[in-house]
Amino acid sequence: MTYKSIFTVATHAGQVPQTIAAAAKLCAQTDAHLDVLALGVDRTQIGYAYIGSGAVLLQVAQERAESDARDLEDAVKAAVAAESPGLRASVEAAVTQFGAMIDLVSQRARFADLVVLARPYGKEQGAEAEAVIEAAMFEGRAPVLVVPDSGLGRAAPRRVVVAWNQSREAMAAVRAALPLLKQADQVAITVIDPPVHGPERSDPGGMLCQMLVRHGVRAEVTVLARSLPRVSDVLLRHVRDKDADLLVMGAYGHSRFREAILGGATRNMLEQTTVPVLMAH
């Protein structure tokens, strides 16, 4: 398997150059086609009564969303033009209400091998950035590569950390990341506080390591103690210690509501990461 269709969504003009640059690097590496959706979002809420100025407010919101979509489309086209002439890309602009955005994004993501998106938390990022990631993963069933503020770095990572906890989400992420793992010089399968009575109690990460080695991946297992309050903190420190170019992890092992209210490894990693994170659910 390799990535031949790469998809990204632009919702914030400030993130467009780095996201397009990251996606273009991957396209050049795998000879893939890039599809870009420039999305203007109408944030008025269906079902609410805007007494006295309802029609005017709805019209203004629609016009603002259309203007945003045009501006984003122009920014995307400029960013695509700045890349290699060999980049094959298509750009589509669309306007949607926030509630309908999930269906629109997931329908496009469903036909992509990989979705590349900017980090959803940061200056001027709106609620739609996180919603786009969740739509691609949950409804679109696509793996998502989240690019940090510093950009992608290299298209073919040399050192990769795989967060392994035996979950189906983690396995989905590993399978989606195989094209990148096979190119890496070193893949560290990282297990944090493995359960004493789990199915891998005698050899944590051993079966995954065996599977990856059979694919030609240069993998090894690292078992870490939970020496910090949060698993994500241990993982982030390990990524820094390994000087990793990429983190691969399962996403949203808990419900999205619990992650949003109480926090969780997925949200914490996306808030703090300085390296690209490839996630799947």
Side-chain angles (χ1 to χ4, degrees):
M1 173 192 166
T2 187
Y3 307 127
K4 290 300 181 183
S5 295
I6 293 177
F7 174 61
T8 187
V9 181
T11 58
H12 175 48
Q15 300 283 1
V16 166
Q18 74 172 44
T19 307
I20 296 298
K25 284 183 182 179
L26 288 166
C27 287
Q29 178 74 20
T30 61
D31 190 30
H33 187 282
L34 175 62
D35 295 304
V36 187
L37 178 62
L39 200 58
V41 182
D42 177 356
R43 296 173 180 82
T44 54
Q45 299 296 311
I46 297 175
Y48 280 74
Y50 298 97
I51 298 173
S53 59
V56 174
L57 182 60
L58 293 172
Q59 181 64 28
V60 168
Q62 177 72 14
E63 290 175 355
R64 182 179 299 167
E66 291 173 356
S67 175
D68 289 345
R70 287 192 297 269
D71 292 344
L72 283 167
E73 183 181 20
D74 291 342
V76 167
K77 287 181 175 177
V80 168
E83 298 298 327
S84 166
L87 175 63
R88 301 190 306 277
S90 58
V91 181
E92 176 188 359
V95 174
T96 180
Q97 288 196 315
F98 190 89
M101 183 177 62
I102 290 175
D103 289 339
L104 178 61
V105 171
S106 63
Q107 196 275 335
R108 302 293 197 283
R110 196 169 292 136
F111 298 98
D113 298 317
L114 181 68
V115 180
V116 178
L117 295 170
R119 194 170 68 94
Y121 307 111
K123 187 178 180 181
E124 298 182 9
Q125 284 283 48
E128 61 271 12
E130 186 178 25
V132 165
I133 288 181
E134 293 182 356
M137 278 196 299
F138 282 85
E139 279 73 28
R141 294 295 177 183
V144 175
L145 179 67
V146 178
V147 181
D149 298 340
S150 56
L152 181 61
R154 58 178 68 242
R158 290 184 301 171
R159 294 174 296 277
V160 181
V161 169
V162 174
W164 180 244
N165 61 359
Q166 306 175 36
S167 68
R168 62 183 181 181
E169 292 86 4
M171 180 55 80
V174 169
R175 292 189 189 280
L178 261 177
L180 298 174
L181 299 181
K182 291 163 75 171
Q183 299 177 59
D185 296 333
Q186 181 187 49
V187 174
I189 300 168
T190 304
V191 185
I192 300 173
D193 260 3
V196 177
H197 302 293
E200 295 185 348
R201 60 188 179 277
S202 61
D203 186 19
M207 294 181 70
L208 177 62
C209 187
Q210 180 185 72
M211 185 194 93
L212 292 180
V213 168
R214 287 174 177 171
H215 277 279
V217 177
R218 291 176 282 275
E220 60 183 22
V221 178
T222 302
V223 179
L224 302 175
R226 185 172 175 174
S227 54
L228 294 171
R230 300 188 302 190
V231 169
S232 58
D233 294 332
V234 178
L235 199 52
L236 281 166
R237 185 175 64 183
H238 187 58
V239 167
R240 289 193 296 269
D241 290 345
K242 286 286 186 181
D243 193 22
D245 305 305
L246 175 69
L247 171 65
V248 176
M249 64 181 289
Y252 296 104
H254 300 299
S255 71
R256 284 173 285 178
F257 177 78
R258 177 176 172 178
E259 291 258 348
I261 302 301
L262 302 178
T266 305
R267 185 181 179 92
N268 293 337
M269 288 302 305
L270 294 183
E271 287 177 339
Q272 301 177 56
T273 185
T274 57
V275 301
V277 181
L278 193 150
M279 305 186 304
H281 181 79

